Amino acid sequence: MDLKGKAALVTGSTSGIGLAVARALAARGADIVLNGLGDAGAIEDLRATLAHEHGVRVSFHGADLSAPDGAEALVAHAQADPGRIDILVNNAGIQHVAPVEAFPAERWDAVIAINLSAVFHTTRLALPGMKARGWGRIVNIASVHGLVASAHKAAYVAAKHGVVGLTKVVGLETAGSGVTCNAVCPGWVLTPLVQAQVDALAQIRGLDGATARRQLLEEKQPSRQFVTPEQLGDLTVFLCSDAAAQMTGSALVMDGGWTAQ
Ligand code: NAD
């Protein structure tokens, strides 16, 4: 799969799944715009390494996607450098775990803003250029929680179901235009977002890290193995290929059997 000459914006790509997706797209020759939060020096190292290893143009914009003007600034940056968005990967996301009656309203607002509304804002801003050029790929990193629920994840489950719904609408509105929009629904992936949940489980149950990881997997994921960020990077590359040109509006699970139960 050759993505030379394509430009990709990957939100939340300073860590975890987003970083692996950015690496996978860069490895196929795409120019990359990185986005996310974190230490400026470490992010600059990431940016420079990615550009050097794959001989592609890589820039970074640290827009905070919890407000619409963050998404607007990020898309404007990508449209200036490298100059357009052919591939948009909406990946930035946060989690908060609490029962509904104890769920802080401020955390609800933040999860909905970053995990759902930001997907709408980047999509509405990137779509006109994709449509005008007759080619585009939008990949929304949703979750199994876009299809099924777990207790204590009200905002996350609501946001991810919203992303799956938005994906269907955008798939319909762009059908036949050369633009596709699909959602990827991973099960457990061992990233900082999930490590926090492993640590919480270890503390609540008095477990060591390895046992907590095993118990977390056993409760939901029949394979008892984590999905890797690299596997999600390769799935994203596939969705950018010609083989996937007729896949749109879909929600693809990669979940070790979680949603088959
Ligand atoms: P992560 O915490 O490793 O990465 C999240 C990224 O989002 C980071 O780059 C972070 O800086 C960025 N981010 C957070 N808040 C932001 C904000 N306000 N503005 C801009 N960027 C922001 O998490 P991850 O596990 O790699 O998650 C990536 C995506 O995958 C999320 O949407 C998550 O819901 C989804 N997902 C993760 C799993 C899993 O098991 N890890 C499973 C299913 C879906």
Side-chain angles (χ1 to χ4, degrees), residues 11-18 35-38 63-66 90-94 114-115 141-144 156 160 185-194:
T11 71
S13 44
T14 53
S15 169
I17 295 167
N35 157 257
L37 312 177
D64 180 345
L65 295 175
S66 57
N90 286 304
N91 166 80
I94 60 169
I114 296 165
N115 294 20
I141 307 298
S143 168
V144 286
Y156 189 86
K160 295 299 188 180
C185 298
W188 290 125
V189 189
L190 193 56
T191 64
L193 184 140
V194 163

Side-chain angles (χ1 to χ4, degrees), residues 11 26 30 46 65 73 75 78 83 89 100 116 130 144 147 152 161 166 183 192 208 211 227 229 231 244 246-247:
T11 71
L46 270 180
L65 295 175
V75 169
V89 183
V100 170
L116 175 58
M130 291 181 181
V144 286
L147 304 169
H152 300 167
H161 274 67
L166 175 61
D208 62 70
T211 309
V227 177
Q231 289 163 344
Q246 290 304 318
M247 294 177 69

Side-chain angles (χ1 to χ4, degrees), residues 83-132:
R84 61 187 197 288
I85 302 167
D86 301 305
I87 299 165
L88 170 63
V89 183
N90 286 304
N91 166 80
I94 60 169
Q95 176 63 282
H96 188 80
V97 181
V100 170
E101 65 273 27
F103 212 96
E106 169 275 325
R107 284 293 84 197
W108 169 276
D109 288 344
V111 172
I112 297 296
I114 296 165
N115 294 20
L116 175 58
S117 299
V119 180
F120 162 68
H121 292 300
T122 54
T123 300
R124 72 177 168 81
L125 295 164
L127 256 185
M130 291 181 181
K131 280 182 167 172

